[in-house]
Amino acid sequence: MSWNYVKDISNCGLFGVISKKKRLINGEIARRAIANMHDRGNGLGGGFAAYGIYPDYKDFYAFHIMYDSLKAIDETEEFLRDNLEVVHEEDIPTRETDKIKWSPYLKRYFVLPANNPKERELELLRGMDDDYIVRVVMIINDRIEGAYVFSSGKNMGAFKGVGFPEDLAEFYRLDEYDGYIWIAHNRFPTNTPGWWGGAHPFTLLDWAIVHNGEISSYGINRRYLEMFGYKLTLHTDTEVVAYLMDLIVRKHGLPFEIAAKIFAPPFWKDIDEMDEDEREAYTALRAVYGSAVLNGPFAILFAFHNGLMGLNDRVKLRPLVVGEKDDLVYMSSEEAGIREVEPDLDRVYAPPAGEPVLVFTEEEKD
Amino acid sequence: MLFYEEKDARETLKLRSLKKGEYHQDYPLYTVVRDNDKCIRCLACVRQCSYEATFYDPVRNVIYNKDEACVGCLRCVAICPTDAITVKRNDTKYRENENWREETIKAIKKQADFGAARLTGLGNDKGYKIYFDHMVLDASQVTNPSIDPLREPMELRTFLGRKPDSVKVEFRNGKLHLKEKIPPQLKLEVPVIFAPMSYGSINFNFQAALAIAAREAGTYFNTGEGGLHQKLREFGSNAIVQVASGRFGVDIDYLEAAAAVEIKIGQGAKPGIGGHLPGEKVTADISRTRMIPEGSDAISPAPHHDIYSIEDLRLLIYAIKEATRYTKPVSVKIAAVHNVAAIASGIARAGADIIVIDGFRGGTGAAPTIIRDHVGIPIELAIAQVDQRLRDEGIRNWVSLIAAGGIRSSADIVKIIALGADAVYIGTAAMVAVGCTLCQQCHRGICAWGITTNRPDLAKRINVDIAAEQLYNLLRGWAIEIREMLGLMGVNSIESLRGNRLKLRGVGLTQEELDVLGIKHAGLQ
């Protein structure tokens, strides 16, 4: 039943960095920065996402899947063979560490939609690759017990689990990856079942989200998404952000700036002050997308293949700091996280409530 | 009037005792007790009692009561300058019987005397479970901060009308620009609308007060099916006008004067039956407003005689939209019945922009008691089911939902919005705000509080300005409370509450009830 779920609550630390010139940044940077905000987590969740890490397979969707059992692997891989073209598969490389004592089976697959999928609902999505892949992710996460796709974008990947993020970076050997965007997360859940899939970032296609806060509007955000066919499987409020972004930006074709205005809309008192044309636009936006407002305290970092967006709730109930150095833009819960990896910044500022900080890579700005 | 006749009141008493013998009369429900030391014989109570339950004997200088006429409206208590009057429940009772309760016995006796269907006013007063009283709200603690409405904006503005799936907007010179207008919407500053109460069932003064308060509070009043008085046309932009089965007062000017048009199919207090305003109540003014001859009965048939199916409803919806050139939302009001979810889905697909669901506790100016008390379902369950059904079908945004029938407080409003309503109608609560004490005599047209009466001497008891202020105050007070409740839940706009059932938990409900409401039991995370 769609209302019968437990919402996960957590408070956290965030870090993100983007190179506008797409210069590659080593995973060690993200690890050090988030490690410097160690106390914002409690060891029950951490994770990273990096962009530009799979140049050899950049035209393929990179599936990162975690499995609880060998049975789940068999079932999933049969589904993948039936419905996807898998060009390469392997275990996700990990390193033994003292701190991460247990992990699920972790595998990755580089895939494209199959020409003749077995699944009827996928057949209908042929030719619409992104919709096809989203549906595949939904099917696996919803139907196959013990299997969870935690990354599905092109030339990017998420790495996450239960533990402190610096230990997970060690475990996932992130010092061996170089990317032009990194986001990282240190989690302080208050009621977690300690599930690896519940860690941040959350991803869908090449979108990845890390989030600090609690989305008090979760109950309606979730029901709104369900109306559009999204299956929410993760029992966490952050998941809705990823899917809302998918709906608004990818499906409805609205730019990120407008998505930010939907998530954290201007107050009516400010809208009432606008000129008529703009007032009409914001009024329509709020009237139509009321159920997509993210209400409650949050700071979000949202990464995609050509950019990074930071956003606070509209009364700024969670910290978010931005630092700039040359073509690098850092976003972090604390300035300390940024200073750890870049002591000499050109500019540091805290973005105002509800105002998105949107940074695109230079050659691909759209 | 009986009270001022110079004849000896003993004659009246004698007549009364004779009359009593004719029927197996009942004992009175109420007894009026007057403290003789306090009473100054000002006779205010005698003048104020429109039910003729009290009269004065000038020879003896005594005020007598006719307790069987007393309806317990407490008008005399409120008006007495020396607080000399107490109205008590009669201590006399039938022998205790769990099966044959007092009201059942009284009903039979009355019908044996008069051989007719019993009539009543207001809403279902039976002891069905009140689901509002079995739901509690969530509050923020530590992990998410509550928001202080005294320090931060707390937004209640609500738009009612059809919403597209997405909006076509773009940035032009750094400013947001709407590329395609969205369908017409009603804008509410507080998600409460005054429920349909027709001119005729209520008097002009009360309807005028509703209109003024609606305008002041940034919301709407609903004309009901009795037309819109010429003097209230200036409040048209705050009026929802009804087109009901009697089509009273409907012409193009009426439609054009309004902010929205509502097709009334059913009423929660009397689902499936029509209405009847007796000819003696159709005064010159009411006849003009309803567009019927003075003194003629105003009969609303049970169904619209041009709507015998959902496709007929579609024709009327679009006839109204064509007539008003698609500038106004069209609402359809139905009573909450077993199949309400499927019916609502049909109405949404028939083109309605707003659906009003009227629960079985909704009030009425007059309805057969047996129907009022036994037909329909609670609004809480109906809204929960309708909202979920429309979501399952992916069409929730096609319509806005108004919950009516049984809203008593700001907490009820918060709970029903969390279940899925966009806004509520209040009728009974609005009447209580201007004096109503729920004596359930609306159908008699002699309301001592001057609300459901058109007798000029009674109607003038509603002072338009004072009543408007009381109605406005009620909305203001509720808005403050709703803001507080939003803030403690950690959200700062009402759209984050709407349909957010995670904010609710059931207390003392069965699993089946929880499933119907779509909420979890208290204690569960």
Side-chain angles (χ1 to χ4, degrees):
Chain A
M1 220 137 320
S2 67
W3 46 269
N4 200 3
Y5 42 78
V6 175
K7 188 178 82 166
D8 198 23
I9 297 171
S10 58
N11 298 268
C12 320
L14 312 177
F15 175 78
V17 56
I18 177 171
S19 160
K20 290 193 226 175
K21 295 190 192 310
K22 290 182 93 165
R23 289 188 291 135
L24 295 180
I25 303 159
N26 187 264
E28 194 55 12
I29 297 289
R31 186 194 68 78
R32 278 171 50 210
I34 199 76
N36 203 36
M37 297 183 284
H38 178 89
D39 284 352
R40 296 193 75 87
N42 64 2
L44 290 176
F48 299 81
Y51 290 74
I53 57 172
Y54 295 134
D56 295 345
Y57 293 102
K58 64 181 169 51
D59 296 326
F60 296 90
Y61 296 94
F63 273 37
H64 291 191
I65 308 186
M66 55 176 74
Y67 298 107
D68 288 346
S69 66
L70 293 170
K71 179 169 166 284
I73 297 183
D74 289 344
E75 218 176 309
T76 306
E77 290 189 343
E78 187 188 338
F79 180 82
L80 294 179
R81 276 194 300 276
D82 287 343
N83 297 290
L84 293 169
E85 188 191 324
V86 182
V87 296
H88 181 68
E89 62 176 273
E90 63 189 3
D91 289 343
I92 296 176
T94 56
R95 182 187 285 143
E96 269 187 44
T97 83
D98 299 347
K99 305 281 174 51
I100 307 297
K101 300 206 188 315
W102 180 90
S103 74
Y105 301 102
L106 296 160
K107 292 197 68 173
R108 65 187 169 201
Y109 308 82
F110 295 91
V111 303
L112 285 178
N115 286 327
N116 289 305
K118 260 196 174 171
E119 196 73 32
R120 175 70 183 147
E121 54 180 305
L122 292 174
E123 216 176 312
L124 301 171
L125 293 171
R126 269 184 306 190
M128 297 181 280
D129 284 6
D130 282 353
D131 285 317
Y132 187 106
I133 294 297
V134 168
R135 186 58 55 188
V136 168
V137 172
M138 298 276 162
I139 290 172
I140 295 174
N141 289 353
D142 191 39
R143 284 198 220 150
I144 303 180
E145 203 186 324
Y148 167 52
V149 182
F150 64 102
S151 191
S152 56
K154 288 178 177 174
N155 200 13
M156 62 80 69
F159 305 90
K160 65 183 189 177
V162 174
F164 279 106
E166 58 269 30
D167 301 329
L168 286 158
E170 180 83 4
F171 171 77
Y172 277 113
R173 302 161 70 148
L174 295 188
D175 50 320
E176 294 171 10
Y177 295 86
D178 297 304
Y180 56 90
I181 305 171
W182 282 88
I183 56 175
H185 190 256
N186 186 13
R187 186 156 178 250
F188 199 131
T190 48
N191 59 352
T192 180
W195 180 49
W196 277 53
H200 297 213
F202 289 97
T203 70
L204 188 69
L205 298 174
D206 73 355
W207 294 353
I209 287 173
V210 289
H211 162 228
N212 169 20
E214 176 173 345
I215 296 173
S216 305
S217 55
Y218 175 71
I220 184 55
N221 299 146
R222 178 187 174 108
R223 297 182 76 221
Y224 176 69
L225 284 166
E226 284 170 344
M227 204 175 88
F228 291 97
Y230 291 89
K231 298 211 187 314
L232 289 94
T233 52
L234 303 180
H235 307 300
T236 175
D237 49 8
T238 310
E239 187 185 21
V240 303
V241 186
Y243 293 160
L244 284 173
M245 197 64 101
D246 185 62
L247 178 73
I248 292 164
V249 176
R250 195 171 64 81
K251 297 274 210 187
H252 293 174
L254 296 171
F256 289 110
E257 292 93 326
I258 291 174
K261 293 298 174 195
I262 289 172
F263 293 162
F267 287 102
W268 287 117
K269 66 178 173 59
D270 298 323
I271 293 174
D272 290 344
E273 300 284 304
M274 295 172 180
D275 64 49
E276 199 183 325
D277 194 51
E278 210 177 10
R279 187 169 65 234
E280 185 187 31
Y282 274 107
T283 300
L285 206 62
R286 286 200 63 175
V288 172
Y289 287 106
S291 299
V293 170
L294 298 176
N295 218 318
F298 69 80
I300 289 173
L301 297 184
F302 179 79
F304 41 98
H305 76 276
N306 63 337
L308 177 64
M309 183 170 84
L311 181 68
N312 266 134
D313 64 84
R314 58 196 197 135
V315 282
K316 202 166 172 89
L317 296 171
R318 286 286 189 269
L320 185 64
V321 180
V322 178
E324 294 172 357
K325 174 72 177 177
D326 304 328
D327 74 317
L328 296 176
V329 179
Y330 299 91
M331 300 181 195
S332 174
S333 293
E334 295 174 20
E335 194 176 327
I338 304 174
R339 294 283 182 194
E340 166 69 17
V341 293
E342 185 53 76
D344 181 28
L345 289 163
D346 300 337
R347 181 180 176 219
V348 187
Y349 67 98
E355 287 295 328
V357 181
L358 195 49
V359 183
F360 288 98
T361 54
E362 276 169 8
E363 68 273 41
E364 289 185 66
K365 183 169 162 57
D366 41 38
Chain B
M1 281 192 295
L2 177 66
F3 333 110
Y4 286 96
E5 283 172 16
E6 285 296 315
K7 68 176 180 176
D8 191 334
R10 279 172 295 180
E11 282 302 311
T12 312
L13 289 170
K14 213 157 80 184
L15 274 173
R16 184 177 154 215
S17 62
L18 278 175
K19 207 177 171 193
K20 267 188 145 176
E22 284 172 31
Y23 305 118
H24 51 272
Q25 280 277 357
D26 229 337
Y27 59 81
L29 265 182
Y30 298 97
T31 177
V32 182
V33 181
R34 208 172 263 98
D35 184 334
N36 213 31
D37 293 341
K38 288 186 181 171
C39 178
I40 54 170
R41 304 291 189 271
C42 69
L43 303 191
C45 53
V46 176
R47 284 191 299 273
Q48 291 284 326
C49 183
S50 52
Y51 297 97
E52 304 188 350
T54 183
F55 59 98
Y56 178 57
D57 176 352
V59 176
R60 288 198 168 85
N61 192 27
V62 174
I63 301 172
Y64 289 106
N65 300 318
K66 222 164 66 177
D67 281 348
E68 73 270 23
C70 177
V71 299
C73 79
L74 309 183
R75 179 73 184 179
C76 56
V77 176
I79 215 80
C80 177
T82 58
D83 296 333
I85 304 173
T86 313
V87 173
K88 292 185 171 170
R89 278 305 303 266
N90 195 336
D91 288 339
T92 306
K93 290 264 167 20
Y94 292 111
R95 187 189 172 106
E96 293 76 12
N97 188 320
E98 298 272 331
N99 186 33
W100 288 92
R101 283 165 306 188
E102 180 186 50
E103 64 192 58
T104 316
I105 300 170
K106 281 182 166 291
I108 289 177
K109 288 181 180 297
K110 193 179 259 179
Q111 287 189 297
D113 285 352
F114 298 107
R118 289 173 297 132
L119 285 182
T120 186
L122 282 178
N124 190 331
D125 64 358
K126 295 293 171 286
Y128 296 99
K129 195 174 217 171
I130 300 169
Y131 287 92
F132 284 124
D133 296 343
H134 290 268
M135 291 186 284
V136 289
L137 298 168
D138 192 24
S140 303
Q141 298 289 297
V142 185
T143 55
N144 59 344
S146 44
I147 302 171
D148 186 346
L150 296 175
R151 294 159 53 102
E152 306 282 352
M154 197 56 71
E155 300 181 317
L156 303 185
R157 189 177 292 178
T158 300
F159 287 89
L160 303 181
R162 176 165 291 232
K163 315 287 191 302
D165 280 358
S166 64
V167 174
K168 308 266 181 294
V169 284
E170 64 185 4
F171 279 105
R172 269 189 199 169
N173 308 321
K175 287 192 164 182
L176 202 64
H177 171 76
L178 187 64
K179 289 196 284 188
E180 204 175 282
K181 286 194 192 312
I182 64 170
Q185 307 283 324
L186 293 181
K187 175 174 146 188
L188 283 65
E189 296 298 347
V190 51
V192 186
I193 295 172
F194 294 123
M197 289 180 275
S198 67
Y199 176 41
S201 75
I202 60 169
N203 59 58
F204 177 84
N205 289 353
F206 183 40
Q207 197 165 62
L210 292 167
I212 293 167
R215 186 162 71 183
E216 290 299 308
T219 182
Y220 300 82
F221 75 107
N222 190 315
T223 60
E225 59 176 306
L228 182 62
H229 196 286
Q230 283 302 332
K231 284 189 197 158
L232 295 182
R233 295 277 156 130
E234 61 168 302
F235 294 95
S237 55
N238 292 90
I240 300 171
V241 299
Q242 262 194 356
V243 174
S245 62
R247 302 289 154 85
F248 300 121
V250 179
D251 65 5
I252 188 63
D253 296 335
Y254 174 71
L255 301 180
E256 284 188 341
V261 181
E262 180 168 290
I263 300 170
K264 179 199 174 181
I265 299 292
Q267 188 172 339
K270 44 177 174 178
I273 70 168
H276 179 187
L277 189 70
E280 58 261 31
K281 293 190 184 174
V282 180
T283 62
D285 233 18
I286 290 171
S287 108
R288 262 195 306 280
T289 306
R290 292 208 174 209
M291 302 177 191
I292 53 171
E294 197 174 330
S296 65
D297 287 1
I299 294 174
S300 302
H304 288 243
H305 284 320
D306 54 357
I307 303 179
Y308 278 74
S309 66
I310 195 86
E311 56 270 29
D312 289 345
L313 175 66
R314 185 182 177 85
L315 287 180
L316 183 58
I317 290 171
Y318 279 93
I320 291 169
K321 287 190 176 186
E322 287 287 334
T324 54
R325 297 172 306 282
Y326 297 87
T327 56
K328 303 172 199 299
V330 172
S331 160
V332 175
K333 175 166 173 279
I334 56 169
V337 292
H338 304 337
N339 209 17
V340 66
I343 297 164
S345 162
I347 293 171
R349 292 177 191 281
D353 304 301
I354 298 168
I355 301 177
V356 182
I357 313 283
D358 195 8
F360 81 154
R361 288 190 185 277
T364 176
T369 315
I370 205 78
I371 290 167
R372 187 198 70 173
D373 291 351
H374 298 278
V375 182
I377 66 169
I379 188 61
E380 304 92 313
L381 306 181
I383 284 290
Q385 284 297 298
V386 170
D387 175 69
Q388 188 59 49
R389 174 66 173 260
L390 296 177
R391 288 180 186 283
D392 290 346
E393 295 187 12
I395 57 171
R396 177 62 183 85
N397 53 317
W398 290 17
V399 287
S400 293
L401 284 182
I402 297 177
I407 308 294
R408 304 159 302 171
S409 68
S410 57
D412 288 354
I413 296 172
V414 168
K415 290 171 188 178
I416 203 80
I417 289 177
L419 284 174
D422 292 85
V424 303
Y425 273 170
I426 56 161
T428 306
M431 294 205 294
V432 172
V434 299
C436 171
T437 56
L438 289 93
C439 71
Q440 309 188 23
Q441 305 300 312
C442 320
H443 56 294
R444 295 170 65 181
I446 50 170
C447 175
W449 291 88
I451 302 166
T452 56
T453 176
N454 279 284
R455 222 171 77 183
D457 62 311
L458 298 175
K460 73 179 184 192
R461 293 180 185 178
I462 292 286
N463 174 305
V464 177
D465 294 331
I466 294 172
E469 191 177 338
Q470 289 166 326
L471 290 164
Y472 173 81
N473 283 346
L474 176 70
L475 294 187
R476 183 175 184 275
W478 281 5
I480 291 169
E481 291 173 349
I482 295 170
R483 288 191 191 100
E484 287 285 355
M485 284 183 266
L486 287 180
L488 65 84
M489 285 188 270
V491 299
N492 53 16
S493 62
I494 193 116
E495 55 259 49
S496 297
L497 171 70
R498 194 184 308 136
N500 191 345
R501 298 188 190 175
L502 266 188
K503 298 298 184 197
L504 295 172
R505 291 291 186 277
V507 175
L509 295 178
T510 65
Q511 188 56 51
E512 190 127 51
E513 289 168 321
L514 294 166
D515 288 346
V516 172
L517 288 165
I519 63 171
K520 293 199 272 193
H521 203 275
L524 291 173
Q525 186 188 322

